Amino acid sequence: MRTNTTLLTAGIIAVLLILALCAGCTGTAPDGNATPNATTAPPGGANVVRIATTTSLENTGLLAELERVYENETGVDLQFISQGTGQSIDSGRRGDVDLVLVHAPDLEQQFIDDGFGINPRCIAYNYFIIVGPESDPAGIANMSPVEAFQAIYTAGTNQTAGVAFVSRGDNSGTHNQEKVLWEEAGYDYEADVLDAGAWYVEAGKGMGDTLILANEQQAYTLSDEGTYLSFADRLDLVPVVAEGAELLNRYSAIAVNPEQHAEVNAEGAADFINWLTSDETKEMIGEFGTEEFGKPLFTPLYAPECTEPPFNCTCAEPVPT
């Protein structure tokens, strides 16, 4: 009995000592500042910015560079979801991300008009190119982009030997630009192109994978120039048509509207967009790829050029924070 009483007393004393030590933990540190605890920690997600973006930005390596520099400068955790522009905008509509970084002006404007996107800022541009086998079986060299699509369609539907076209087929910015080119060439995409025959192939993949598939099939495809240059050492395909106003490829950042999704990190999105549009970051973007490819993969946009045709966007005005 005495042993049980002794053990019980020792246990009570131990508990009291632990409580006393814990009480000391919630006091102030020797320098007078409160010791961090659960009640003073930042709310979950405040130090994380979620970004839905295009596979072309990932494939070029630019995303990794932006992530490295921004995280080193700010300590903020950038979490990229790489997918087609259409899918990225859908992620923004659902509130799954804090901002989108995309390249399909018509889809972007609809996203904004529907009240889901705010504070759009154009960042940079490059060009789409039509790549294909060096033998150019459809004979599109030196044509305009629209003429090239007409020639590919005619050759494909006539079952010309060696003529095939691989589409992204994923509602990406590149896929949407392809559909614009088919329309300008005089074809209804749904009625005339999708079921036009075995020569037209939908990859349903990102830009890099689509280029690899087109290379395997020795087919034509539409690519952004940056991704093509990043993959060129793995491809036999060459740029066949690389000039024309229809090939302009503009990239923009758009924050998700917190009035639609209160849980988004609106402040983090604004800070990142302002960093993207700073002169220092634009200089970095403008130099990216030069050492490896002999030319930059993207051209940054500056005011007032960005506000004029063909860009017609905002690139310098700071986003309110």
Side-chain angles (χ1 to χ4, degrees), residues 19 45 50 59 83 86 100 151 160 168 185 188 200 205 211 223 233 249 258 302-303 307 316:
L19 290 173
R50 304 163 302 162
N59 291 154
Q83 51 195 0
V100 299
T160 302
R168 285 277 298 266
D188 182 290
Y200 186 79
K205 297 179 179 292
L211 281 166
S223 174
D233 60 352
N249 183 27
Y302 294 91
T307 64

Side-chain angles (χ1 to χ4, degrees), residues 54-69:
T54 76
T55 61
S56 58
L57 289 176
E58 180 187 44
N59 291 154
T60 59
L62 179 61
L63 281 187
E65 182 65 8
L66 294 175
E67 181 178 21
R68 181 188 68 81
V69 175

Side-chain angles (χ1 to χ4, degrees), residues 111-272:
F111 180 58
I112 294 165
D113 291 345
D114 290 345
F116 290 97
I118 58 171
N119 298 321
R121 296 293 184 273
C122 49
I123 308 300
Y125 69 96
N126 59 17
Y127 288 91
F128 293 108
I129 55 177
I130 303 172
V131 302
E134 194 168 6
S135 60
D136 187 19
I140 66 172
N142 301 316
M143 290 184 177
S144 72
V146 169
E147 290 171 339
F149 267 59
Q150 290 170 335
I152 291 171
Y153 185 89
T154 299
T157 53
N158 288 336
Q159 299 182 358
T160 302
V163 173
F165 187 95
V166 176
S167 168
R168 285 277 298 266
D170 62 351
N171 199 31
S172 61
T174 305
H175 186 211
N176 275 273
Q177 187 59 29
E178 179 206 326
K179 289 189 282 188
V180 168
L181 288 170
W182 287 124
E183 182 180 353
E184 292 184 356
Y187 306 109
D188 182 290
Y189 181 74
E190 300 289 335
D192 300 328
V193 180
L194 280 180
D195 297 319
W199 67 273
Y200 186 79
V201 179
E202 288 192 281
K205 297 179 179 292
M207 194 67 256
D209 289 335
T210 298
L211 281 166
I212 295 297
L213 179 59
N215 191 66
E216 291 172 354
Q217 299 195 10
Q218 284 296 285
Y220 296 99
T221 192
L222 183 70
S223 174
D224 67 282
E225 185 181 26
T227 304
Y228 169 77
L229 289 173
S230 297
F231 278 71
D233 60 352
R234 290 176 261 179
L235 305 172
D236 297 323
L237 304 179
V238 299
V240 188
V241 176
E243 294 183 1
E246 303 93 336
L247 299 179
L248 179 67
N249 183 27
R250 190 193 78 190
Y251 290 86
S252 298
I254 309 170
V256 175
N257 190 349
E259 293 184 4
Q260 295 283 355
H261 298 286
E263 71 279 6
V264 299
N265 185 356
E267 183 176 351
D271 287 342
F272 182 64

Side-chain angles (χ1 to χ4, degrees), residues 98-109:
D98 305 308
L99 72 142
V100 299
L101 189 54
V102 289
H103 65 140
D106 289 345
L107 294 181
E108 295 164 24
Q109 192 58 53

